[in-house]
Amino acid sequence: MSQAPAGIRVGILIFDQVEVLDFAGPFEVFATTRLDESRRTETDSPFDIRLVAERKRPVTTAGGMMVVPHHDFRDCPALDILVVPGGRGARRELSNIRLMEWLRAQSNGLSLLAGVCTGSMLLGQAGLLEGLRATTHWRSLEWMRDYFPDVMVVEDEFVVDAGSVITSAGISAGIDMALQLVMRFYGQEVARATARYMEYPFPENSRPRQVHHLKAGSRPPVAAGAPDSPGE
């Protein structure tokens, strides 16, 4: 396959109480990618990665990590790929009207929109998954099915590729998703070399997903105005 040119700009959304690996996993994959593995130390990633938050101030992740975004919604440059992570904070962000409007506006100019874990629920809330196959964290599959009936919820795949929109299962599955995006843009050889450098198993299509079901009555409270969420 012909490779995409270098300089693909990736935006990764962050917000308070975002799950660390949801955004840091894809960030690491994109940052680690090299087009010529033999010149790894001499070259940079072909991806230009930017962290984007609603406001340009430090974000406190789940677990208490402090992260400073590169951009806010106002000065975010044009993006090729937007990655939307999940986490406990995603439940609050479901009722964030400004975020929903920004996601819709961004979707018009993107080559690809990606949801990790319950970040897929944010895409659903913005109306960006209608009529598409999608997945999310295993604890939130029923939630997705209940609140977004126009979405074809997939339980047995870690990564669901619907063309211009791609979604993944929970947390570590964002790494699998990002490796698949590297393969899409730069081919399997580059993607496998990236996984090998990270000492991460390359996500083969045959790898089954083990889905567990949340027991009734264990749903945590959520922000007012947001759909009830059982998941991360």
Side-chain angles (χ1 to χ4, degrees):
M1 62 172 288
S2 60
Q3 290 186 342
I8 292 176
R9 185 172 290 154
V10 181
I12 302 179
L13 177 70
I14 56 174
F15 45 81
D16 284 333
Q17 294 302 301
V18 65
E19 183 68 38
V20 172
L21 199 58
D22 280 13
F23 78 88
F27 189 106
E28 180 68 13
V29 171
F30 295 131
T32 301
T33 301
R34 295 293 186 275
L35 299 184
D36 184 349
E37 189 64 26
S38 68
R39 300 180 64 242
R40 166 166 290 279
T41 60
E42 306 162 38
T43 58
D44 296 322
S45 169
F47 295 101
D48 175 14
I49 315 153
R50 313 290 182 92
L51 296 177
V52 185
E54 183 175 0
R55 297 176 180 85
K56 198 178 290 184
R57 60 168 178 76
V59 165
T60 303
T61 73
M65 181 188 293
M66 301 291 287
V67 182
V68 180
H70 298 98
H71 303 284
D72 61 20
F73 289 176
R74 294 174 299 176
D75 70 2
C76 180
L79 303 173
D80 300 300
I81 300 170
L82 175 61
V83 178
V84 179
R88 295 186 62 84
R91 296 197 286 272
R92 181 188 59 255
E93 298 302 325
L94 284 165
S95 57
N96 184 339
I97 295 173
R98 187 174 182 222
L99 172 60
M100 294 301 119
E101 291 174 346
W102 185 78
L103 289 175
R104 294 184 196 106
Q106 286 293 314
S107 70
N108 292 325
L110 295 170
S111 297
L112 194 140
L113 182 61
V116 180
C117 193
T118 49
S120 302
M121 303 303 295
L122 296 176
L123 300 184
Q125 185 78 341
L128 301 175
L129 296 181
E130 291 183 9
L132 300 179
R133 299 172 73 250
T135 196
T136 186
H137 189 281
W138 65 266
R139 291 187 66 188
S140 297
L141 290 166
E142 289 302 319
W143 177 37
M144 175 178 271
R145 186 175 289 109
D146 289 345
Y147 282 92
F148 305 117
D150 292 333
V151 176
M152 294 173 277
V153 179
V154 179
E155 294 194 356
D156 58 353
E157 298 176 26
F158 277 101
V159 179
V160 177
D161 188 339
S164 61
V165 178
I166 187 167
T167 55
S168 82
I171 310 179
S172 64
I175 298 175
D176 295 46
M177 183 197 73
L179 286 167
Q180 289 201 23
L181 294 183
V182 173
M183 183 167 64
R184 177 187 293 195
F185 285 99
Y186 295 111
Q188 186 171 130
E189 182 178 350
V190 171
R192 285 187 178 276
T194 302
R196 188 180 310 115
Y197 184 81
M198 292 176 62
E199 298 197 63
Y200 187 84
F202 188 78
E204 305 291 352
N205 290 335
S206 60
R207 189 160 77 98
R209 181 184 184 190
Q210 301 297 323
V211 175
H212 307 279
H213 295 285
L214 186 66
K215 293 181 180 180
S218 59
R219 296 187 176 193
V222 297
D228 188 21
S229 160
E232 293 300 315

